Amino acid sequence: MSTETLTIEKLGMSGDGIARGPFGPVYVSFTLPGETVALAVNRDRGTVMSMSDPSPDRVEPKCRHFGPDGENGACGGCSLQHASDSLYQDFKRQLVVDALKSKALQAEVAPLVLAHPGERRRTVFTARRTEKELLLGYNQAESHHIVSISECPIASPGIVSRLATIRTIASVMAVGAEPFRITVLETLSGLDLAFEGINKMDDRQRRMAVETVLGQKGVARLSLNGEILVEPVKPVIDFGGVSVSPPPGSFTQATKPAEDVMAELVMAHLGKAKRVADLFAGSGTFSLRIARKARVHAVEGEDKALKALDLAARNTQGLKPVTVEKRDLYRRPMMASELKIYDAIVFDPPRAGAEVQTKEIARCGARKIIAVSCNPVTLVRDLRILVDAGYRITSVTPIDQFLWSSHVEVVATLEK
C-alpha cells in the first residue's frame, strides 16, 4: 500500500478512471479524466482520499446509493452516474469505435441510442437475511457486500414501487444467512419474481411464500430455481404485437425501448428476405416480429424459452410459418450446408459471442446478416470472420439499455 497523487488520464472499459502510477496503470472508481486525486494505492487499484481538481464533467449522482459516499455503501449497480451526459455518451460510443479498430474493421458507428431513467423492466437483486433485517439490493463492486437499496433510478416505476413487496416475499423465502438472487421482470400482467440460490425450503415455507404472494398486489408469478411455486396470472410480454409468456428467469432484453430499436434495425435490414434463420432466438424477441414478413427458423438451446416461442407463434394469427429447433449452438453449430437455404441470418448470442457458429455463417452465402451483441469485444471478433469471408459491414449502431454502466448493446448489419 502506498500514497500517490495522480491525474486521471482516461476512462477504462469498465468505467474506472485510469492514472499512470510509478509501476503501471492505476484504476480508480468514481473518477473522471483530468482530475487530480490523492490515492491510497494497492497494486493496480486506487482509493480516492481527496480530490483537488474536479472535472467540469462531474455531475451530482442521481441516486443516494451511488459512489463511495452512497447510503449503505457504494452500490455496484452503476459506475458512471457522476459523469455528464456528453462524456458518458461519448464513452459508450467510443467503446464500439475502439473495438472495431482493434480488429482493423472499417465501419461508421452511428450515434448512441440513448437510455433514460426508469426504463429497466428487468433487474437482478441480491438478497440475504441478517440478524436485524433482510438486505435487498446490489453487490458492491468487486465485493460480496450487499448495498440494501431504497430507490433505483434505472429500474421501472413498476419495480421500484414494489420494492417493499419484493422484500416481504424475500423475507419469507430466505433460509439461513446465505445470499440469493432475485430476477425481477416487469411484465404486462405484473412482476415475475424468479428466486435462485435457495436450496432448503421446507413445505411450510413454500406454503407461506405462496400465501404471501396471493396476499400481495402486482405479482404475476413466483418461482424458485426454475420451479413455479405460484402463478396468480400468467406473465406476458409483447414482442411486436405477439404475446409471449417467458419461462421463469429467462433472458429478455433489459428495456423495452432498446428492444424496439434493435427490432427496427433488424427488420429494416431484412428487407424483402423470404426465409430467415434466427440463431440464439430465446423466447422470440426477433423471430416473432420477423414472422410478420417472412418464414422463420428459430434455433435456441434453452428448451423452455423455445417452447414459449413456439406456443406464442401457434396462438397468433397472421404469421408466416415459424419452425423451431432446440440446439446448443456452441456444441453443435448449424452448418453452412444447413444455412444455405436462408436469405438472411440473425444471431444474438450471449456475451461470449459465437465464434464457431460465425465461421459456418461466413461459409453459407446468405445475402444479409444481422449480428446483435452485448459485448463489443466478442462482436468484432465475429465480424472480422464475416468480413474476411467477403461480407461488408453496412451499419453499426450502439444502443444504451444498461444506463450508467459500462455495458453497451450493438446491432451490426452486413451484406455479401
Side-chain angles (χ1 to χ4, degrees):
M1 182 80 75
S2 63
T3 301
E4 306 283 347
T5 298
L6 303 173
T7 298
I8 305 300
E9 296 182 356
K10 61 181 180 179
L11 291 178
M13 290 180 62
S14 64
D16 289 341
I18 302 178
R20 190 175 305 171
F23 303 107
V26 178
Y27 300 88
V28 191
S29 300
F30 312 121
T31 57
L32 298 174
E35 294 182 333
T36 300
V37 287
L39 302 171
V41 179
N42 184 12
R43 297 183 181 177
D44 64 347
R45 299 296 308 181
T47 302
V48 177
M49 296 187 297
S50 65
M51 182 180 299
S52 59
D53 189 17
S55 167
D57 280 306
R58 179 170 287 276
V59 298
E60 192 68 21
K62 306 295 190 297
C63 178
R64 73 183 74 175
H65 302 293
F66 178 81
D69 300 320
E71 185 178 299
N72 299 331
C75 174
C78 297
S79 57
L80 287 160
Q81 281 193 27
H82 60 301
S84 68
D85 289 345
S86 59
L87 175 62
Y88 168 76
Q89 291 161 18
D90 289 345
F91 163 75
K92 282 226 162 167
R93 181 178 179 275
Q94 195 65 37
L95 290 174
V96 182
V97 172
D98 291 344
L100 290 165
K101 285 182 179 178
S102 74
K103 292 296 183 182
L105 292 168
Q106 303 295 320
E108 178 63 29
V109 178
L112 180 72
V113 177
L114 305 183
H116 302 95
E119 289 183 342
R120 283 287 292 268
R121 66 178 177 187
R122 183 180 187 273
T123 189
V124 181
F125 294 123
T126 303
R128 181 170 66 86
R129 185 194 296 283
T130 70
E131 292 181 1
K132 295 181 179 179
E133 60 181 336
L134 180 107
L135 301 177
L136 175 75
Y138 303 102
N139 281 0
Q140 191 170 354
E142 300 181 9
S143 167
H144 294 296
H145 172 69
I146 299 172
V147 177
S148 196
I149 63 168
S150 56
E151 65 179 30
C152 182
I154 65 170
S156 72
I159 293 176
V160 175
S161 65
R162 294 187 175 92
L163 282 174
T165 296
I166 298 170
R167 269 197 175 85
T168 298
I169 296 169
S171 295
V172 176
M173 297 282 288
V175 176
E178 292 300 311
F180 53 93
R181 287 158 48 97
I182 310 168
T183 299
V184 182
L185 173 65
E186 183 183 26
T187 77
L188 297 175
S189 49
L191 297 186
D192 184 9
L193 306 180
F195 283 67
E196 295 179 346
I198 301 174
N199 299 314
K200 298 179 181 178
M201 282 186 69
D202 57 29
D203 290 341
R204 182 186 64 83
Q205 281 181 298
R206 286 170 174 255
R207 286 194 300 271
M208 287 179 60
V210 170
E211 291 170 2
T212 302
V213 168
L214 294 176
Q216 302 287 335
K217 292 183 179 180
V219 179
R221 178 169 63 192
L222 172 67
S223 63
L224 173 61
N225 302 326
E227 174 195 353
I228 297 173
L229 300 185
V230 62
E231 190 177 76
V233 58
K234 194 167 286 294
V236 174
I237 53 179
D238 177 87
F239 290 152
V242 180
S243 295
V244 180
S245 181
S250 68
F251 173 81
T252 59
Q253 297 296 339
T255 79
K256 184 70 163 62
E259 178 190 286
D260 288 343
V261 170
M262 285 187 275
E264 288 170 10
L265 291 166
V266 169
M267 297 304 295
H269 189 61
L270 288 177
K272 296 181 180 180
K274 289 182 168 46
R275 298 193 69 170
V276 181
D278 182 15
L279 310 183
F280 307 95
S283 296
T285 304
F286 301 124
S287 294
L288 295 169
R289 289 175 165 95
I290 295 168
R292 297 283 188 191
K293 297 173 60 176
R295 298 171 63 99
V296 187
H297 184 58
V299 185
E300 166 59 40
E302 208 280 295
D303 185 56
K304 292 180 180 178
L306 196 66
K307 286 179 178 177
L309 188 165
D310 186 41
L311 182 62
R314 292 175 183 276
N315 289 337
T316 304
Q317 294 184 340
L319 300 183
K320 303 287 187 181
V322 177
T323 54
V324 298
E325 179 181 354
K326 182 181 181 297
R327 186 163 176 166
D328 184 338
L329 293 170
Y330 287 105
R331 295 178 179 273
R332 194 166 64 91
M334 288 196 74
M335 306 304 289
S337 57
E338 299 173 273
L339 292 169
K340 66 182 181 180
I341 63 173
Y342 299 102
D343 305 321
I345 297 169
V346 180
F347 68 106
D348 181 11
R351 288 188 62 80
E355 184 175 13
V356 177
Q357 179 62 79
T358 304
K359 289 177 180 177
E360 296 299 323
I361 295 172
R363 295 173 47 236
C364 77
R367 189 165 53 88
K368 293 185 176 183
I369 295 173
I370 301 108
V372 183
S373 175
C374 61
N375 185 348
V377 174
T378 55
L379 171 68
V380 297
R381 179 202 63 202
D382 296 344
L383 292 181
R384 183 74 257 177
I385 294 168
L386 294 169
V387 170
D388 288 345
Y391 284 90
R392 176 175 63 91
I393 301 173
T394 56
S395 71
V396 177
T397 306
I399 300 167
D400 189 12
Q401 66 169 331
F402 307 102
L403 185 62
W404 297 318
S405 79
S406 59
H407 301 295
V408 61
E409 197 86 23
V410 189
V411 176
T413 60
L414 303 96
E415 292 183 356
K416 187 71 173 177

